[in-house]
Amino acid sequence: MQIGMVGLGKMGGNMAERLRRGGHEVVGYDRNPEVSDVPSLKDLVDSLAAPRTVWVMVPAGPPTHATIEQLGELLSEGDLVIDGGNSHYVDDQKHGAQLAEKGIGFVDVGVSGGVWGLENGYALMAGGSEGDIRRLWPVFETLKPEGDGFVHAGDVGAGHFAKMVHNGIEYGMMQAFAEGWELLEAADVVKDVPGTFASWRHGTVIRSWLLDLFVRALNEDPDLSDLQGYAQDSGEGRWTVQAAVEHAVPLPVITSALYARFASRQPDSPAMKVVAALRNQFGGHAVASKEGAHAKGADSPGADVAPPREVS
């Protein structure tokens, strides 16, 4: 099958290579001329035979909006666009409606597999019509792992909604491993923390590819001293929590994991400054100042403020 691939970064480039290995003809376009097969998006469209199929793998948000808008002007009725980035499912519904007005099909695909997908295959979660999914099946079959790994999740938007929830679960799993590692490191009783995690890879209910990757990281850096405790979020964790609020579904684990990432970016927590100040005011507890730890005595400012009377 012939397909155009827009965006040849770590994911898009590897996906294009896996498709080529599977016998498909791929024409790739990227803003980086060193990896691009054609000089422009128009040249990519012109190089494809109708009905055309174009897979978009660019960052979510404005880059994806701009690319799909351009494709809407360049493509023709009967052509098909796939968004395989990490777009918000709400944007998919807008893009699908926008392209449908011109007779252009749209499918959203949540893609998981990262840098390992080239060799192992990509888990694919697709949203779109039955006809468009059938048309794309040769591509999906090549990209996915052997056996399972593909779902037609529903109509347009369903693929990225499923991927959003997948990533939210991933946040919670990573946070659980992180907290367990910190506790093992803090306790003197366990002498071999990397070995403990490695022992869990077989025969336990928490064995997983994520655990395998963590053991790999510990083999490279046993105490993680080469890393800074700072974690970004891709946006999908936030969207998962927002969707939970909209649907009144409690997500305490995923929400806590997202907030833990926010906390990791604060070298000095503003909220904890308030907590420290209040503990000092009502209990005279020691606080750590810029100059060092100290405790304010009974004559400290605020110490003579009487507690409020209870009002019934």
Side-chain angles (χ1 to χ4, degrees), residues 123-281:
L124 305 172
M125 295 144 268
S129 71
E130 287 283 354
D132 287 340
I133 298 300
R134 282 196 301 270
R135 173 174 162 181
L136 292 170
W137 180 245
V139 171
F140 294 149
E141 191 171 32
T142 300
L143 287 174
K144 74 178 187 66
E146 289 187 21
D148 213 345
F150 172 85
V151 62
H152 180 194
D155 294 333
V156 169
H160 279 143
F161 194 98
K163 176 59 162 47
M164 176 188 76
V165 175
H166 165 279
N167 280 28
I169 293 170
E170 182 182 289
Y171 275 46
M173 291 175 66
M174 286 194 285
Q175 186 65 23
F177 282 132
E179 292 174 7
W181 175 81
E182 184 173 1
L183 179 56
L184 287 169
E185 283 285 340
D188 293 336
V189 66
V190 176
K191 305 301 183 185
D192 184 0
V193 175
T196 299
F197 274 94
S199 74
W200 295 343
R201 295 177 59 197
H202 305 284
T204 76
V205 295
I206 65 168
R207 64 187 185 275
S208 62
W209 185 40
L210 200 58
L211 177 59
D212 292 341
L213 293 175
F214 184 43
V215 170
R216 183 173 181 265
L218 290 175
N219 287 337
E220 295 172 357
D221 184 9
D223 59 0
L224 303 182
S225 58
D226 293 338
L227 297 176
Q228 182 182 355
Y230 181 104
Q232 277 289 4
D233 66 286
S234 63
E236 289 174 305
R238 302 187 191 203
W239 297 336
T240 304
V241 173
Q242 289 167 358
V245 172
E246 292 168 4
H247 292 81
V249 174
L251 297 186
V253 171
I254 294 173
T255 302
S256 176
L258 174 64
Y259 286 176
R261 295 197 183 191
F262 295 162
S264 78
R265 302 168 207 165
Q266 297 178 334
D268 189 12
S269 169
M272 288 301 103
K273 290 182 180 181
V274 176
V275 173
L278 289 174
R279 291 184 75 248
N280 177 261
Q281 289 292 322

Side-chain angles (χ1 to χ4, degrees), residues 57-76:
M57 286 297 293
V58 301
T64 294
H65 299 327
T67 302
I68 290 177
E69 186 172 339
Q70 291 178 57
L71 287 172
E73 298 298 323
L74 295 168
L75 294 173
S76 305

